[in-house]
Amino acid sequence: MKLTLVSAAILASSVVPRLGLAQDKIIKVDGSSTVYPITEAVAEDFQGENRGVKVTVGISGTGGGFKKFVRAELDVADASRPITKAEIEECKKNGVEYIELPVAFDALTVVINKQNTWAKNMTVAELKKLWEPEAQGKVTKWNQINPAWPDAEIQLYGAGADSGTFEYFTEAINGKSKASRGDYTPSEDDNVLVKGVEGSKNALGYFGMAYYLAHQDKLTAVNVSWEKNKATKDAVAPTTTNVNNGTYAPLSRPLFIYVNKKSAETRPEVKKFVDFYLANARTLTTEVKYVPLPDAAYETIKSRWAKLQTGTVFGGEAAIGLKIEEILTREAK
Amino acid sequence: MLSTEQVIRRGQMRDRVFSILGVALTILCLGVLAILLVNLCREGLARIDWQFLTTFPSRRAAKAGIFSAWVGSALVMLVTGLTAIPLGVAAGVYLEEYGRRNWFTSLIEINIANLAGVPSIIYGLMALGLLIYKWEDWFGDKTDSIAGLGQSIITGGLTLAFLILPIVIVATREALRAIPQHMREAAYALGASRWQVVKDHLLPYSTGGISTGVIIALSRAIGETAPLVTIGALTYIAFLPPAPFSHTESGQMVGPFAWLSSPFTVLPIQMFNWVSRPSSDDNNFAVNAAAAGIILMLVTLTMNTVAIVIRARVRKKVKW
C-alpha cells in the first residue's frame, strides 16, 4: 500500500512540473502574522494595478517565514523582528543575500479591563515582576506587584510562544527573548485575548496595537514608563504620536520586510512589487491601524532599496527601544 | 415472586424509559446542530450574495469574497477524489476478495483500522515531510525541475487523499462483505474468473455502499483545516489557478495540468483567517467568516444528503 502511494506520488510529481510549463509570475511572501495585514493590503492593491502578476502572502510566523527565506523559497519575508544570527548563517550557507527594509511600527499594547482603576500606569519593572519566569505560581495577586493595589487574583493573557510578539515582549520586558512565566492563557488568536481581558475585572493582557485600536471601547491601554527611556521618565500612552517620536519605549518595535536580492535583480515584477510597497507603505499602514514611519525614514529606506544594499543593521541582535533614526543611521554589519 | 403481568409491565416500563432517553439524546444532538446553523445564519446569511462568491479576499471586509477559496476547495477535492477513490477501492477489493488470510494481510488490516483514527494534523506533518521537504533529499538540488511539490493544489489534494484513504478502504470492504457469498459461488459455478466476478457482479452490487462511504469521506475532507495549515496553505490568494490551455500575460500557453502546481487556499482556511483578525463594526470579518461557514455547511450537508439518497435507492434495488 505505502509503496503504491509513494510511487504514485513520485510519478505525479515528476510529471506535474513539466506539464506546467508556462506559469504566471508568482511573487511569494511569507512570515509574520503581525506584518501580514500590511503586506496583504499592498498585495491586494498591487494586483489590482498589475494584471498577470500574482502575489501569495502566507502566515507562518517570523521564524517560519525565515526558515523558507533562507532556503530561497521566498521572494520576500515578513518579519516582526530583525533577522537572527542563526538565520544569517543559514543565508550565507545557501548563498542568499537579503535587503532589510523597515516598513512600519507596531506598538505592543498592555491592556486591562475597563473597570480597572489602579493599573493605568505601570513601569517596566512592575511588568517584569509580573511576567518574568520566576513569577510563575508566586505572583498571582495585584498587591504583590504594588501594595497599593487590590488583594485580587490576576488573570493573565498573552501571545502564544511561536509569535514574534511573544519574542519581542519577553525581550523588552524580561530582558531575555522567550523567557516568560508559563501560567497564563496564551493564544495566537488575539480575539481570544481581547475577550478574556474584556470579561474579567482583574485581567491583564498584551498584543499588537491594531487589536487594541479595534477594541478601544472595551479595553484600557496601560501607560508604560521605563527608567531607561531617554525622552521621558513619565508613563507614556501607546499612541501614534508617541510611537513615532520614540517615547513609547520599549514596547514599540519596527516591522520589516526582507527581500531576496537575487529575486530583486532578476525578476522585474519583484522589483516593482517592493517599489509599490515602499511607495504606499505610509497610507496602507495607517489604514490597517499600524503606525507608519516618519516621511524622512521612508526616503532613506527607498534609497537603501534603490542601491540594493544588503545585510542587517542589527548584527543578529534584538533591538529594544530604538528610534527609527538610530536604526537608519546605523551601518549594515 | 413476580407475577407474569408484573414482569411484562416492568419490561414495557424499561422499553419506554429507553426510548424516551434515545429520543432526548437525538434531540440534543440535532439541537446543537440547529443552534449552530441558526447562529451562523443569523450572523452571515445576509452577507451571501453573488458578489461574495465571485470576489477575492480583501482587507475591506465588505468587499471580500470567497472566490479563490471555493475554487481551491473544489480543485483540492478533485485531486483527493481522483487519487483516494481508485486506490481505496482497489485496496478494498484486494483485501476482501484476493488477499489470503495471513500475518501480512492482518498486519495491513490492523494498520488501516489504526490509520482511520489518526488525528488529521499527523497527516499534515507526514505530507510536509514527504511531499514538501523529502524530495530535495531524494532528488538533490532543488533548482532541478523535480523539486518538492511545494504548497500546491496537488500537495493539498494528496494530503487529504492520505487522510480519507482508510475510510474509503473500510467502506469498500464493508460494501463487499454485505454481498451474500452465494452470489460469488453462483458466478464461479458458471465458470466466471475472479476478475469477472469482481467486475461484473461485486462492484456493480456494491456501488451504492462504496459511493456512500466515498462521499462521507470527501465531506470530511472538505472541512479539514489542520493538515492544510501544516503544509502552509494559510495564505492570502487573490487569483485562480491557471485554466488549462489559457494564455499568460506574456502570451504563453498554459499546460493542461499547470493548475496542479498552483498555490491555493480553501474554505475552512479562509474562515480561519477571517475569524482570527481584528473585527470591528465598520470592518466586520466575523460576518464573512459566518457566511463562509454557511457555504461550507451547505456543501457538507448536500454531500451527506446525496450519500443517504444513494444508499436508500440501492437498498430498494437489492434483490437477494
Side-chain angles (χ1 to χ4, degrees):
Chain A
M1 262 313 297
K2 253 186 196 155
L3 216 74
T4 329
L5 273 186
V6 171
S7 47
I10 290 175
L11 205 81
S13 84
S14 53
V15 173
V16 171
R18 294 199 180 140
L19 292 177
L21 287 173
Q23 274 282 12
D24 274 324
K25 294 162 185 159
I26 296 180
I27 301 171
K28 286 195 172 175
V29 190
D30 201 347
S32 163
S33 59
T34 312
V35 189
Y36 173 81
I38 308 175
T39 306
E40 184 203 45
V42 173
E44 188 182 343
D45 288 1
F46 179 75
Q47 285 175 106
E49 287 184 17
N50 298 275
R51 295 268 152 221
V53 184
K54 298 172 172 179
V55 186
T56 67
V57 190
I59 310 179
S60 301
T62 303
F66 272 129
K67 242 174 236 159
K68 295 179 191 165
F69 186 79
V70 302
R71 295 157 73 112
E73 288 168 20
L74 299 179
D75 302 307
V76 178
D78 285 342
S80 62
R81 56 156 173 79
I83 190 168
T84 63
K85 275 202 177 107
E87 287 156 357
I88 295 172
E89 279 308 307
E90 282 292 311
C91 275
K92 271 186 198 141
K93 216 170 74 191
N94 297 326
V96 173
E97 285 187 288
Y98 54 89
I99 302 148
E100 175 182 81
L101 304 168
V103 288
F105 263 124
D106 178 33
L108 291 190
T109 312
V110 180
V111 293
I112 49 175
N113 190 276
K114 275 275 178 209
Q115 291 175 48
N116 182 326
T117 49
W118 58 90
K120 284 181 177 161
N121 297 312
M122 289 181 86
T123 65
V124 168
E126 283 168 344
L127 284 170
K128 180 166 191 275
K129 218 173 183 180
L130 181 59
W131 282 100
E132 64 190 349
E134 292 75 25
Q136 180 148 345
K138 287 190 197 124
V139 181
T140 56
K141 290 182 170 178
W142 281 101
N143 64 357
Q144 287 174 289
I145 311 169
N146 184 332
W149 292 347
D151 179 17
E153 199 89 20
I154 307 181
Q155 286 92 41
L156 290 173
Y157 293 86
D162 285 335
S163 65
T165 306
F166 176 77
E167 282 183 37
Y168 190 84
F169 185 84
T170 47
E171 176 87 45
I173 298 296
N174 298 338
K176 189 166 182 291
S177 180
K178 296 193 175 190
S180 167
R181 67 189 297 169
D183 53 345
Y184 68 101
T185 308
S187 179
E188 302 288 352
D189 179 356
D190 293 339
N191 286 324
V192 172
L193 308 178
V194 170
K195 289 255 154 55
V197 179
E198 194 191 339
S200 155
K201 189 182 171 187
N202 292 305
L204 178 143
Y206 66 87
F207 41 72
M209 193 179 184
Y211 268 82
Y212 166 66
L213 291 178
H215 299 276
Q216 275 186 81
D217 48 332
K218 300 171 192 154
L219 303 165
T220 305
V222 174
N223 305 329
V224 178
S225 58
W226 191 32
E227 70 273 16
K228 288 184 202 152
N229 197 335
K230 285 167 208 139
T232 172
K233 301 286 173 250
D234 294 338
V236 181
T239 62
T240 311
T241 330
N242 293 340
V243 171
N244 235 328
N245 63 21
T247 50
Y248 185 68
L251 288 178
S252 58
R253 56 171 171 173
L255 302 176
F256 305 89
I257 56 171
Y258 283 77
V259 186
N260 184 322
K261 190 186 178 199
K262 198 171 155 206
S263 300
E265 281 172 342
T266 55
R267 296 176 49 201
E269 68 272 16
V270 174
K271 171 98 172 58
K272 217 169 159 189
F273 176 70
V274 180
D275 283 344
F276 188 89
Y277 205 123
L278 296 178
N280 294 282
R282 189 170 180 75
T283 34
L284 292 177
T285 303
T286 320
E287 193 187 320
V288 299
K289 304 219 164 65
Y290 286 91
V291 184
L293 307 175
D295 281 331
Y298 281 119
E299 291 313 313
T300 318
I301 294 159
K302 275 180 201 164
S303 75
R304 187 192 283 181
W305 165 240
K307 283 183 277 181
L308 294 182
Q309 187 184 323
T310 56
T312 171
V313 300
F314 299 96
E317 311 279 344
I320 300 298
L322 280 182
K323 286 167 98 173
I324 189 71
E325 286 82 4
E326 296 173 56
I327 295 175
L328 290 173
T329 47
R330 278 198 195 178
E331 280 301 309
K333 286 174 211 163
Chain B
M1 257 303 272
L2 293 169
S3 72
T4 322
E5 222 169 277
Q6 274 175 315
V7 172
I8 292 175
R9 208 176 301 144
R10 185 172 287 184
Q12 285 173 334
M13 189 67 174
R14 281 187 187 154
D15 270 354
R16 211 168 301 147
V17 168
F18 184 77
S19 64
I20 290 173
L21 197 72
V23 169
L25 286 176
T26 312
I27 291 176
L28 186 78
C29 293
L30 289 176
V32 171
L33 183 66
I35 291 170
L36 199 70
L37 273 174
V38 168
N39 232 340
L40 272 179
C41 287
R42 261 189 25 210
E43 201 170 353
L45 202 56
R47 183 73 185 79
I48 299 177
D49 50 19
W50 188 245
Q51 177 264 338
F52 188 65
L53 296 176
T54 55
T55 48
F56 291 114
S58 162
R59 66 181 180 283
R60 298 186 193 94
K63 273 178 63 185
I66 53 168
F67 201 16
S68 44
W70 73 255
V71 172
S73 274
L75 291 177
V76 168
M77 279 307 111
L78 186 69
V79 174
T80 304
L82 286 181
T83 2
I85 297 170
L87 280 176
V89 171
V93 169
Y94 173 79
L95 287 173
E96 200 58 35
E97 302 296 329
Y98 289 83
R100 291 205 185 82
R101 300 268 166 267
N102 57 25
W103 65 269
F104 185 66
T105 44
S106 335
L107 191 74
I108 291 178
E109 265 168 51
I110 292 169
N111 265 312
I112 290 171
N114 279 329
L115 279 177
V118 167
S120 57
I121 190 145
I122 305 291
Y123 286 94
L125 289 176
M126 186 184 82
L128 186 70
L130 201 64
L131 300 179
I132 297 188
Y133 290 143
K134 200 65 198 168
W135 292 125
E136 287 158 29
D137 303 351
W138 287 347
F139 297 111
D141 190 8
K142 57 177 175 290
T143 53
D144 197 62
S145 66
I146 316 172
L149 293 181
Q151 290 145 6
S152 55
I153 289 177
I154 191 167
T155 313
L158 288 177
T159 309
L160 295 182
F162 289 140
L163 180 77
I164 65 167
L165 201 53
I167 310 178
V168 177
I169 295 175
V170 170
T172 307
R173 298 188 65 186
E174 253 149 41
L176 290 172
R177 224 173 285 163
I179 299 170
Q181 197 57 31
H182 60 242
M183 301 300 287
R184 297 181 181 81
E185 281 159 8
Y188 286 132
L190 291 171
S193 71
R194 202 175 251 185
W195 172 236
Q196 283 170 325
V197 172
V198 168
K199 177 174 66 106
D200 297 331
H201 297 278
L202 301 182
L203 281 181
Y205 300 161
S206 57
T207 309
I210 294 175
S211 36
T212 312
V214 164
I215 293 172
I216 287 172
L218 285 176
S219 71
R220 175 185 170 189
I222 203 169
E224 276 297 342
T225 323
L228 296 181
V229 169
T230 316
I231 62 168
L234 183 67
T235 20
Y236 168 77
I237 304 265
F239 54 84
L240 296 182
F245 306 118
S246 62
H247 292 270
T248 60
E249 280 301 292
S250 47
Q252 281 171 294
M253 184 138 86
V254 172
F257 298 106
W259 57 274
L260 281 174
S261 50
S262 168
F264 72 103
T265 187
V266 292
L267 273 171
I269 286 178
Q270 185 61 58
M271 266 182 82
F272 180 70
N273 178 316
W274 278 333
V275 167
S276 60
R277 53 201 310 172
S279 175
S280 52
D281 290 335
D282 56 329
N283 206 16
N284 203 335
F285 284 106
V287 169
N288 285 4
I294 295 174
I295 305 270
L296 195 57
M297 288 280 264
L298 274 181
V299 174
T300 317
L301 288 179
T302 314
M303 286 169 88
N304 286 345
T305 314
V306 170
I308 291 168
V309 169
I310 292 179
R311 192 163 50 196
R313 283 218 170 153
V314 169
R315 254 191 216 149
K316 252 188 246 161
K317 271 202 293 187
V318 170
K319 295 182 211 81
W320 54 76

